[in-house]
Amino acid sequence: MSTSVEEQAFENVSRLINDICERTNVSEICRLRLTGCERELTVRFPVKMDDGQVRVFSGFRVVHNDSRGPAKGGIRYHPDVTLDEVRALAALMTLKTAVVNVPYGGAKGAVICDPKDLSQGELERLTRRYASEIAIFIGPNIDIPAPDVGTSPQVMAWIMDTYSTLRGYSPAVITGKPLEVGGSKGRFEATGRGCMISALLAAKHAGVNAAEATIAIQGFGNVGATVAKLLATEGCLIIAVSDSRGGVYSPNGLDLEGLCAQKTETGSVVGFKNAEAITNAELLELPCDILIPAAIEHQLVEANAASVKAKIVAEGANAPTTPAADKILYANGVFVVPDVLANAGGVIVSYLEWVQNLQVFCWDEAQVNGYLQSMMTDSFGDVLQISALQKVDMRTAAYMTALGRLATAMAARGLFP
Ligand code: NAD
């Protein structure tokens, strides 16, 4: 019998939804609908490999809820991904899209595979076959996938092309595409930019002067490196960063340009000159104003939460804080901007990409960034207001905000027939 956190992933999200529905008097029918998934598709399909052999792969597409609009969520390629994990990630997307008030529901998809073991040709054949298998489920007004762990803009382009071949030209069927085939300007940096905006709003709220704030960032990939560069341009001092191999620390601030050049050259920030070597565990406990976990899940746990010295934690990663750690951080007065808010910049700009595709029109980057700025600011304000009114932490307030919007939408739409 399995008891691991990952294998109970959907149960964990569902329990949280259940608890908050009960606390906020959300209707019984709404609670019942949100504690299960609306539609689930499991596919098994053959792919011809480069050596002539045929392998059979399994994949999923799950829609958790679409009361507020077409379902939205990424496609993950990972060897260990399970249906349960996909259900949990789909439910988190329902909450995330509602927190930032984009007119979407929540979905997620996956193929059990290791993309690093596949040639470019194998990856394309696998992607096109998976796209054709889930084509009955997705569509610009039904369910709109996006990239996630192990997938890329190129994978999105193949899915768009496969779907368009079957149904007619449909760039709005998927987001996170390359610019040349309907992608949006600003999409690549969107999650890091949204995280920067939420960190600065949190600093203002907590009375931290952003122009002098010290920042530690775990993870130096798309989200971590982008948020580092953007916060540095705001005058913040990036004192520590890390990747899967370890971290570097300089209390006077790191030379980000040099760091990025080294990362490109060696694939890691480790060994950067004029900085002290630290471990990922040490980075999380550094004295700093803002800590940004932007790598993987379950980094702030019961064992290290009390040692966090940051005044603010802005969750760039998904689920970097366990529920037990969350309680400790709240009790210690650490202001946590939860993942469903702090890393929602990606889904916001995905929404803007979809709007541009539907209008058959392209906006410039300043326009995209302007919308992102105002949507993140409004969402942060909404959640902060609930947090103050209900005297709850920002994560509970974000879930309350989302569930309130979902309940209102469900009540307004009523039942068919
Ligand atoms: P990425 O693969 O570009 O970067 C991940 C970084 O984390 C890398 O620097 C990697 O070395 C580091 N890392 C991996 N394992 C680590 C470990 N055990 N300890 C420390 N560092 C480790 O990924 P990304 O797109 O930047 O995503 C980072 C997080 O943000 C993930 O949780 C992802 O789900 C979340 N997220 C990303 C987006 C997006 O648009 N990219 C949107 C929402 C949420």
Side-chain angles (χ1 to χ4, degrees):
M1 197 170 71
S2 101
T3 52
S4 84
V5 174
E6 290 78 9
E7 283 162 340
Q8 295 177 348
F10 184 68
E11 199 184 314
N12 290 341
V13 182
S14 160
R15 196 178 307 130
L16 213 59
I17 292 174
N18 208 39
D19 288 353
I20 293 177
C21 282
E22 278 173 5
R23 281 167 66 170
T24 51
N25 295 324
V26 164
S27 73
E28 176 68 1
I29 181 67
C30 177
R31 187 181 66 77
L32 284 173
R33 288 178 69 183
L34 291 171
T35 47
C37 292
E38 260 173 32
R39 289 197 295 273
E40 298 183 354
L41 178 66
T42 297
V43 293
R44 271 170 58 73
F45 55 91
V47 177
K48 192 175 267 184
M49 309 307 281
D50 289 347
D51 63 5
Q53 302 228 357
V54 174
R55 271 180 66 190
V56 176
F57 290 86
S58 296
F60 315 102
R61 186 71 192 170
V62 171
V63 170
H64 173 255
N65 188 273
D66 60 3
S67 299
R68 298 186 65 260
K72 187 91 190 82
I75 292 172
R76 179 169 293 197
Y77 286 178
H78 195 277
D80 303 325
V81 69
T82 64
L83 177 57
D84 183 63
E85 192 182 347
V86 175
R87 287 177 179 139
L89 292 165
L92 282 175
M93 285 306 298
T94 303
L95 296 169
K96 195 179 290 188
T97 54
V99 169
V100 294
N101 216 0
V102 288
Y104 283 144
K108 206 80 183 185
V111 176
I112 304 172
C113 69
D114 190 343
K116 289 195 232 78
D117 287 348
L118 301 173
S119 70
Q120 190 77 344
E122 290 168 341
L123 191 64
E124 178 172 355
R125 291 194 291 280
L126 175 141
T127 298
R128 288 187 181 279
R129 181 61 192 249
Y130 170 68
S132 73
E133 297 283 339
I134 66 165
I136 51 164
F137 240 51
I138 61 175
N141 297 311
I142 303 168
D143 174 6
I144 306 140
D148 191 66
V149 174
T151 56
S152 61
Q154 175 60 74
V155 169
M156 302 303 107
W158 288 327
I159 295 178
M160 183 278 262
D161 183 69
T162 305
Y163 185 90
S164 294
T165 305
L166 297 170
R167 303 283 155 88
Y169 182 60
S170 313
V173 72
I174 199 157
T175 60
K177 301 178 292 296
L179 272 179
E180 299 71 21
V181 290
S184 176
K185 296 196 173 96
R187 175 64 182 83
F188 183 78
E189 299 83 9
T191 306
R193 182 174 291 278
C195 191
M196 177 269 287
I197 295 166
S198 64
L200 292 179
L201 290 166
K204 194 169 174 199
H205 171 74
V208 171
N209 180 3
E212 296 171 355
T214 50
I215 319 279
I217 303 173
Q218 185 194 40
F220 205 63
N222 175 304
V223 181
T226 303
V227 76
K229 284 180 218 160
L230 293 173
L231 282 171
T233 62
E234 296 292 321
C236 302
L237 208 57
I238 313 300
I239 60 163
V241 300
S242 68
D243 58 35
S244 57
R245 295 193 222 161
V248 286
Y249 169 57
S250 169
N252 298 322
L254 294 160
D255 158 25
L256 279 184
E257 219 171 287
L259 205 54
C260 291
Q262 168 172 317
K263 174 93 185 172
T264 309
E265 205 175 301
T266 69
S268 178
V269 297
V270 170
F272 187 59
K273 59 181 187 319
N274 302 330
E276 194 184 314
I278 52 164
T279 63
N280 265 290
E282 287 166 343
L283 179 141
L284 299 172
E285 299 178 10
L286 282 175
C288 62
D289 292 309
I290 306 177
L291 171 64
I292 302 183
I296 51 166
E297 66 279 9
H298 306 151
Q299 295 303 291
L300 298 173
V301 295
E302 194 167 11
N304 65 2
S307 307
V308 169
K309 295 174 195 70
K311 299 184 185 81
I312 294 162
V313 172
E315 295 183 337
N318 280 316
T321 310
T322 63
D326 223 7
K327 286 200 182 97
I328 297 167
L329 294 174
Y330 188 56
N332 288 349
V334 180
F335 186 84
V336 177
V337 189
D339 49 7
V340 285
L341 178 60
N343 71 31
V347 79
I348 290 177
V349 177
S350 268
Y351 162 67
L352 299 175
E353 178 178 334
W354 178 73
V355 171
Q356 291 169 81
N357 293 158
L358 292 177
Q359 294 178 345
V360 200
F361 196 72
C362 288
W363 300 336
D364 63 27
E365 192 165 347
Q367 191 164 2
V368 172
N369 289 345
Y371 278 128
L372 174 61
Q373 175 81 37
S374 68
M375 290 168 85
M376 284 298 299
T377 306
D378 289 352
S379 308
F380 188 94
D382 292 345
V383 174
L384 189 64
Q385 193 178 24
I386 299 268
S387 161
L389 277 174
Q390 302 289 334
K391 298 188 174 33
V392 292
D393 62 90
M394 287 288 278
R395 192 182 318 276
T396 308
Y399 277 51
M400 284 177 166
T401 307
L403 291 168
R405 286 178 180 152
L406 282 154
T408 309
M410 281 186 201
R413 286 180 71 159
L415 299 180
F416 172 83

